[in-house]
């Protein structure tokens, strides 16, 4: 793909006003493709807003919103084969939806019922990883295994701008390049690592740093689902052909708080958030569908109903969970129980029992 002449310009196919640029990517922009990508973005948005509300109702311990990042996630995950193994961070809810994670499976971790609600091997989707960048060496190692198996699988790791500062990320980039591992590093630069803006965190943007490690790289408008899809398709074809690892930096914006525990009004201006709202990834595709008259009769209404059904499924899934027994956490820290863990579990039991005495 011909990249923009100015390396600081992201690849873009769809303007914020819904105008389609001349397509330099070989992407066949059909109404079916646009509707499919739009459908996944709408479902992701519904999952996200519903789960956030459930957290506010006290049903979930925490939620990390994907609001505003739907195009970066949907455009990329749909460019992979369902059998390409994916290592997400913790807000790639679109990737989970596309891979077939059910509403109940999705909420298990955020409710505290389990460490991961789905079977990573069956869905080719690894567990969410909260320890920043810890999964990038895992993805690189997994890709080296793929290489030795001799298959043409492509491994993808999602991470954020903040995670790129971790040692683990830099080790993974270097090792992947040195070993020509079949791995795609997909960076969502959502402008913030909690309250730290990207500009305070790095001098050289991620897509340029990637080149120093020997990775191919792209900078893409992460709020343009068509551009993300086109760039990811090209990167994946490159990796699958054995030509080596790639890093994609998708410029996007975390429209909501970092998590349900965060208040972004304490560290960023409303004017900035408003400017990004004008580049909303879902509205942009709606404008294209409107301009081309690419809606099928009744299709949009059916999608609204599908979103409502997803919302209802999430609400009933959360009601069906049993009580959370926090003491069980001590059983899953290590594969074998140690005296120290047993003692800590016993202390925790005494601590909880102390509250029961006070209540009685
Ligand atoms: C090793 C490690 N250090 C610190 C944290 C605390 N922490 C959680 S999320 C986060 C910011 C991550 O920002 P970024 O990588 O840009 O991803 P985003 O949350 O914006 O998607 C931090 C510092 C952590 N989870 N892991």
């Amino acid at each position: 793909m011909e990249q923009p002449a100015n390396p600081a310009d992201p690849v873009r196919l769809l303007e914020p006003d819904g105008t389609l640029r001349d397509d330099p990517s070989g992407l066949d922009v059909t109404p079916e493709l646009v509707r499919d990508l739009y459908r996944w973005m709408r479902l992701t948005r519904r999952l996200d807003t519903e789960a956030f509300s459930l957290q506010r109702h006290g049903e979930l311990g925490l939620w990390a919103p994907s609001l505003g990042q739907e195009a970066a996630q949907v455009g990329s995950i749909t460019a992979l084969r369902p059998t390409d193994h994916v290592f997400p961070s913790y807000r790639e809810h679109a990737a989970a939806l596309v891979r077939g994670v059910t509403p109940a499976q999705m909420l298990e971790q955020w409710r505290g019922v389990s460490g991961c609600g789905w079977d990573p091997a069956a869905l080719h989707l690894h567990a969410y990883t909260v320890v920043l960048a810890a999964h990038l060496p895992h993805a690189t190692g997994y890709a080296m295994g793929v290489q030795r198996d001799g298959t043409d699988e492509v491994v993808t790791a999602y991470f954020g701008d903040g995670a790129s500062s971790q040692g683990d990320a830099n080790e993974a980039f270097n090792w992947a390049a040195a070993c020509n591992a079949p791995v795609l590093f997909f960076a969502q630069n959502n402008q913030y690592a909690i309250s730290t803006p990207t500009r305070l965190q790095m001098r050289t943007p991620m897509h340029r740093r990637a080149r120093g490690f020997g990775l191919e790289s792209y900078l893409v408008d992460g709020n343009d689902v068509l551009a993300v899809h086109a760039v990811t398709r090209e990167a994946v074809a490159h990796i699958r052909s054995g030509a080596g690892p790639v890093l994609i930096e998708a410029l996007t914006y975390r429209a909501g708080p970092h998590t349900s525990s965060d208040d972004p009004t304490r560290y960023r201006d409303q004017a900035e958030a408003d400017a990004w709202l004008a580049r909303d990834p879902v509205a942009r595709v709606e404008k294209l569908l409107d301009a081309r008259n690419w809606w099928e009769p009744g299709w949009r209404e059916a999608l609204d109903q599908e979103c409502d059904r997803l919302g209802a499924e999430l609400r009933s899934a959360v009601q069906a969970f049993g009580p959370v027994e926090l003491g069980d956490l001590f059983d899953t820290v290590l594969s074998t129980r140690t005296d120290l863990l047993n003692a800590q579990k016993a202390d925790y039991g005494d601590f909880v029992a102390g509250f029961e005495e006070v209540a009685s």
Side-chain angles (χ1 to χ4, degrees):
M1 178 185 304
E2 197 185 327
Q3 299 222 36
N6 180 350
D9 284 344
V11 176
R12 179 183 288 163
L13 301 184
L14 186 61
E15 300 289 354
D17 67 1
T19 311
L20 206 50
R21 280 191 187 176
D22 285 345
D23 180 9
S25 68
L27 184 70
D28 190 12
V29 182
T30 62
E32 290 74 25
L33 173 69
V34 177
R35 282 201 301 267
D36 188 51
L37 297 172
Y38 174 77
R39 171 175 167 269
W40 283 121
M41 290 201 293
R42 282 280 312 276
L43 287 167
T44 304
R45 189 160 284 194
R46 185 52 179 264
L47 163 75
D48 183 57
T49 48
E50 199 75 43
F52 198 89
S53 300
L54 286 169
Q55 195 284 333
R56 287 293 188 250
H57 280 268
E59 299 286 2
L60 302 178
L62 184 75
W63 182 249
S66 52
L67 187 70
Q69 297 181 217
E70 296 88 351
Q73 297 181 7
V74 169
S76 52
I77 189 75
T78 53
L80 304 174
R81 288 182 189 158
T83 49
D84 288 335
H85 203 82
V86 169
F87 287 78
S89 294
Y90 40 77
R91 66 171 94 247
E92 281 73 42
H93 311 315
L97 265 186
V98 170
R99 282 297 167 93
V101 170
T102 66
Q105 290 171 336
M106 169 57 86
L107 296 186
E108 273 191 29
Q109 189 175 6
W110 303 97
R111 172 85 167 188
V113 177
S114 81
C116 174
W118 59 86
D119 177 353
L123 298 185
H124 304 280
L125 178 73
H126 205 76
Y128 277 173
T129 301
V130 176
V131 181
L132 294 179
H135 58 306
L136 302 191
H138 300 166
T140 301
Y142 191 102
M144 290 166 67
V146 166
Q147 211 171 25
R148 280 150 186 78
D149 287 344
T151 70
D152 68 349
E153 186 179 333
V154 171
V155 179
T156 297
Y158 286 96
F159 64 104
D161 40 282
S164 79
S165 304
Q166 291 286 133
D168 272 356
N170 293 272
E171 290 170 31
F173 299 158
N174 183 56
W175 202 240
C179 299
N180 211 44
V183 57
L184 170 64
F185 296 109
F186 194 95
Q188 291 172 83
N189 179 353
N190 66 7
Q191 312 303 323
Y192 285 91
I194 313 187
S195 55
T196 306
T198 308
R199 75 187 143 73
L200 292 185
Q201 187 156 186
M202 58 188 82
R203 281 285 168 87
T204 307
M206 288 181 279
H207 68 283
R208 282 183 49 209
R209 266 191 280 155
R211 298 275 169 150
F213 287 102
L215 302 169
E216 285 296 322
S217 69
Y218 295 87
L219 179 66
V220 63
D221 179 344
N223 281 14
D224 173 354
V225 73
L226 294 174
V228 174
H229 192 66
V231 162
T232 311
R233 265 182 19 147
E234 186 171 293
V236 166
H238 173 95
I239 299 165
R240 220 184 282 293
S241 75
V246 178
L247 182 145
I248 296 175
E249 177 176 355
L251 293 175
T252 182
Y253 192 69
R254 195 197 71 215
H258 171 69
T259 66
S260 48
S261 304
D262 174 46
D263 173 8
T265 63
R266 295 181 61 181
Y267 56 83
R268 66 186 193 189
D269 292 341
Q270 191 54 41
E272 178 191 282
D274 289 346
W276 277 94
L277 192 59
R279 291 174 240 169
D280 180 76
V282 177
R284 192 183 294 205
V285 177
E286 273 164 10
K287 287 175 194 157
L288 173 66
L289 288 164
D290 282 343
R292 303 277 171 123
N293 200 14
W294 277 352
W295 303 104
E296 290 262 299
W299 186 86
R300 199 173 184 175
E301 294 70 19
L303 176 58
D304 288 343
Q305 286 166 12
E306 192 183 358
C307 290
D308 287 345
R309 277 199 303 278
L310 176 64
E313 280 174 44
L314 285 157
R315 292 192 297 276
S316 50
V318 88
Q319 309 264 309
F321 286 131
V324 179
E325 178 44 70
L326 280 181
D328 292 347
L329 279 177
F330 295 95
D331 302 335
T332 53
V333 175
L334 298 173
S335 56
T336 49
R337 291 276 294 273
T338 62
D339 290 346
L340 182 61
L341 280 170
N342 288 337
Q344 287 178 344
K345 182 169 181 172
D347 280 354
Y348 174 75
D350 292 346
F351 174 72
V352 173
F355 287 98
E356 282 157 14
E357 277 165 28
V358 171
S360 59

